Amino acid sequence: MKIMMFAHGGSLNRGCEAIVRSSAFIIKEKINGAKVYLSSQKPHTDGIIPRLDGVYDGTRTEIRKYSLDWAVSFLHFRLLKDESYALRKIEQKVIGRIKEVDVCMSIGGDNYCYGEQPQWYEIDRNVKRSGKKLVLWGCSIGEEDMSEQKLQDLKLFDLILARESLTYNMLLSKGLPNVKLCADPAFTMEKEEL
């Protein structure tokens, strides 16, 4: 089984690093023969993490003004109020890797706390269009962060693991049946005596 973690801003954020480290360890311990890949917005910071089978460049691609992609994006948005074409182009490095794996795990634990995240929504839609499993791993989401658009995105997930009871109960109250309560994987890290 091949698993790609995405929505990772890089390991300069030590909390994000801890989630990647512990998740790779858990997956490889529990799933025999699993391969774990990381799509990172700062891949140069992630070489310090053991147990990964590869780190992908997940940086966003700029759409150059007046290019063909810019013109198509502009027309899609102006005529159809649809930004999905632009978002697919911007997130093409992550989206292009989906076909290579079996499961895509969105690991940014608090990514859904910062308003609307249309780039993640577009990646999630592409995961499901590709027929792959989609997991939201160790999330925290406040009631104040919920919107209809976010709720529709969350319905795409095959599994949502909430890392605390407030998120868990709120997501259940929104009618999401695919939610489980599970501690943040970072709590499983092995300590290092200094």
Side-chain angles (χ1 to χ4, degrees):
M1 176 181 293
K2 293 182 179 177
I3 298 167
M4 178 178 70
M5 296 185 272
F6 72 97
H8 174 67
S11 289
L12 294 178
N13 178 316
R14 297 305 183 202
C16 294
E17 177 194 347
I19 290 172
V20 173
R21 273 183 187 275
S22 56
S23 299
F25 178 81
I26 291 167
I27 291 165
K28 290 199 168 223
E29 287 291 312
K30 299 295 181 187
I31 303 173
N32 192 28
K35 299 285 185 189
V36 181
Y37 302 92
L38 175 66
S39 177
S40 176
Q41 292 174 15
K42 293 185 178 134
H44 63 280
T45 68
D46 300 303
I48 60 173
I49 301 176
R51 295 190 177 92
L52 291 175
D53 293 291
V55 177
Y56 300 143
D57 179 359
T59 57
R60 295 191 169 112
T61 302
E62 179 184 352
I63 298 176
R64 289 195 189 104
K65 197 168 185 176
Y66 305 119
S67 67
L68 179 60
D69 286 333
W70 179 87
V72 173
S73 299
F74 179 81
L75 289 172
H76 269 255
F77 186 74
R78 282 292 188 157
L79 299 175
L80 305 173
K81 302 294 183 229
D82 180 10
E83 61 186 354
S84 61
Y85 180 87
L87 292 169
R88 273 193 309 280
K89 292 297 177 183
I90 292 167
E91 296 294 347
Q92 66 185 338
K93 291 176 186 168
V94 177
I95 292 170
R97 295 287 183 169
I98 293 169
K99 64 186 175 295
E100 300 171 11
V101 298
D102 305 300
V103 178
C104 293
M105 291 176 51
S106 180
I107 62 167
D110 58 0
N111 281 343
Y112 280 76
C113 293
Y114 305 116
E116 295 304 328
Q117 301 294 326
Q119 71 277 14
W120 304 135
Y121 305 163
E122 188 60 33
I123 293 170
D124 297 343
R125 284 190 292 268
N126 278 273
V127 170
K128 295 315 294 175
R129 276 188 211 119
S130 298
K132 306 298 179 157
K133 295 293 184 187
L134 180 62
V135 176
L136 182 54
W137 183 257
C139 69
S140 291
I141 307 171
E143 176 85 41
E144 68 279 2
D145 300 311
M146 287 302 293
S147 67
E148 188 56 37
Q149 189 177 8
K150 195 169 289 183
L151 183 59
Q152 292 309 309
D153 177 67
L154 292 170
K155 288 178 179 178
L156 295 175
F157 285 86
D158 297 289
L159 176 63
I160 298 172
L161 295 174
R163 61 185 175 184
E164 34 68 29
S165 59
L166 292 175
T167 296
Y168 173 73
N169 290 324
M170 185 273 296
L171 293 175
L172 287 179
S173 76
K174 299 293 181 187
L176 293 166
N178 52 346
V179 182
K180 304 285 183 206
L181 183 61
C182 183
D184 190 309
F187 288 119
T188 67
M189 285 181 58
E190 295 178 21
K191 69 178 180 176
E192 179 181 337
E193 297 286 350
L194 301 176

